[in-house]
Amino acid sequence: MGDAVSDTSAADVDIILKDVGADMNAWIGNLRTVLKFKSHQDVAVEKFSKPGISKDTLAKILFEGYQMVYSHRDKFESSRVCVEKLKSELIAAQRSVVKLQQQLLDFQEKLLKTQTEQLQGMSTVVDTAVDKGMRSYSQVLSRTIKNSVPVLSEQTLKKVVQEAVTDEDRSRNLVVFGLTDEATEDLDSKISSLFSDIEEKPSFEAVRIGEQLEERNRPVKISLRNSETVHRILQKAKNLRKTATHKTVYVQPDRSPEERAKHRELVTEMRRRAREDPDNYYYIHSGSILHRDKD
């Protein structure tokens, strides 16, 4: 029996269970037929002693059941041993899986460590090469600057910074020419009226510039909040010549002395061309003299 039990496989267990099930169903069917039970719900203790059922009949049925159970006793034991064996094998397999997973994790950790060390080594090589190259470049550049570029004095640096700041301030300014100059005037109202003619209402500060003379109107310097507003007003300023009150007023950027000198040269040249070519209309745009046909 021991050898038969130990040789039972999982497939054998399946066959054993099918055989036992078939024998049990056959015995139950015979019992229900002899005792005239229609279904499992009809089976009850008191019905085994009902009239018409002899002791011999009951003894025979009981004996057949005993024989069936006894004949399958070894098969049940074989199945139990097989199930225990399968459980042991399953546990061993699970342990093997855990072991393999741990080995995989160890391998991945070693691989990551190796890759990190390789990257660090490459980084060191690159850093060393770059450091050497940068030092060499820095040395060459320093020698070149020493030999070719004069040292700027503190006064020169201050002047450069001051000019940069001044240029930034000018980008927020406008200069208005041709606005009537009066001894007592409300300059802010005059500028607001001018801006109203071109549909603008910016915040501003306005002041006359230059010495007051009877024969000419002093320009007005207007400071605005940003250069974007200045640019927008300059684009609309050409519409002033279409108005009744400001058609002789001109709005220009706040130029530096050098820019004003260059602009005067452009104006002089533009007027010369206009005299020589009266059929075209000449104007200045972005530092250049342009022309188009007169309307």
Side-chain angles (χ1 to χ4, degrees):
M1 175 178 170
D3 292 339
V5 169
S6 62
D7 292 340
T8 303
S9 65
D12 294 333
V13 172
D14 184 58
I15 294 173
I16 290 171
L17 293 177
K18 288 181 179 178
D19 290 343
V20 171
D23 289 345
M24 290 182 66
N25 286 331
W27 180 79
I28 292 172
N30 184 44
L31 174 67
R32 288 166 55 181
T33 300
V34 172
L35 299 180
K36 298 180 180 180
F37 293 152
K38 294 181 179 179
S39 65
H40 175 70
Q41 286 75 17
D42 292 338
V43 179
V45 174
E46 59 273 12
K47 291 185 179 181
F48 281 88
S49 59
K50 68 181 181 180
I53 300 177
S54 65
K55 291 183 179 179
D56 292 339
T57 301
L58 291 176
K60 182 180 179 181
I61 293 173
L62 181 61
F63 181 71
E64 289 175 352
Y66 168 78
Q67 284 184 318
M68 179 196 65
V69 172
Y70 186 84
S71 67
H72 291 311
R73 183 187 59 175
D74 291 343
K75 294 179 181 180
F76 281 130
E77 179 63 18
S78 298
S79 299
R80 185 190 66 78
V81 173
C82 182
V83 170
E84 291 296 329
K85 182 181 177 182
L86 290 174
K87 287 171 62 178
S88 299
E89 291 175 352
L90 177 61
I91 292 173
Q94 290 175 335
R95 289 174 178 171
S96 298
V97 170
V98 171
K99 184 177 180 180
L100 289 173
Q101 289 177 336
Q102 185 61 47
Q103 291 176 348
L104 178 60
L105 290 174
D106 292 341
F107 175 76
Q108 289 176 334
E109 184 177 355
K110 291 179 180 179
L111 179 62
L112 180 60
K113 183 179 179 181
T114 301
Q115 291 176 336
T116 302
E117 291 174 351
Q118 290 176 345
L119 288 174
Q120 288 176 345
M122 292 175 62
S123 177
T124 302
V125 172
V126 172
D127 289 344
T128 302
V130 171
D131 184 56
K132 289 181 178 179
M134 289 299 293
R135 284 203 301 268
S136 300
Y137 176 76
S138 178
Q139 292 169 357
V140 172
L141 184 61
S142 298
R143 288 197 297 269
T144 302
I145 292 175
K146 278 184 181 179
N147 295 333
S148 61
V149 180
V151 179
L152 296 177
S153 66
E154 183 179 352
Q155 290 182 343
T156 302
L157 288 174
K158 287 182 178 180
K159 182 179 179 181
V160 170
V161 173
Q162 183 61 40
E163 288 178 353
V165 172
T166 302
D167 288 342
E168 175 62 23
D169 290 340
R170 286 199 187 96
S171 70
R172 298 195 297 267
N173 297 339
L174 292 170
V175 179
V176 178
F177 297 91
L179 196 64
T180 304
D181 190 356
E182 300 168 334
T184 56
E185 64 179 355
D186 185 350
L187 186 58
D188 286 354
S189 295
K190 288 185 177 181
I191 299 301
S192 295
S193 175
L194 182 147
F195 285 152
S196 179
D197 279 351
I198 55 174
E199 298 180 347
E200 289 287 339
K201 293 183 179 181
S203 298
F204 65 89
E205 294 180 1
V207 61
R208 294 279 185 179
I209 54 177
E211 185 180 355
Q212 185 173 17
L213 299 173
E214 293 184 1
E215 63 271 15
R216 72 179 182 88
N217 297 317
R218 289 176 297 168
V220 179
K221 180 179 178 180
I222 303 174
S223 298
L224 299 163
R225 289 187 175 180
N226 53 64
S227 58
E228 288 78 10
T229 305
V230 169
H231 181 69
R232 188 174 65 250
I233 291 173
L234 286 172
Q235 287 183 317
K236 293 182 176 182
K238 62 180 179 294
N239 296 326
L240 289 173
R241 62 175 176 265
K242 300 176 183 179
T243 65
T245 54
H246 298 105
K247 59 183 178 182
T248 59
V249 175
Y250 299 91
V251 181
Q252 296 184 359
D254 183 14
R255 299 185 176 93
S256 66
E258 294 80 7
E259 290 173 335
R260 287 199 295 271
K262 183 178 180 180
H263 185 71
R264 281 195 295 269
E265 292 177 1
L266 286 173
V267 172
T268 300
E269 176 62 18
M270 180 192 68
R271 289 173 178 171
R272 183 189 65 78
R273 295 184 188 183
R275 287 194 301 270
E276 296 176 356
D277 184 17
D279 294 333
N280 284 317
Y281 172 75
Y282 284 84
Y283 60 97
I284 297 172
H285 179 72
S286 299
S288 299
I289 299 174
L290 306 176
H291 69 85
R292 57 178 172 78
D293 294 337
K294 287 186 177 180
D295 297 335

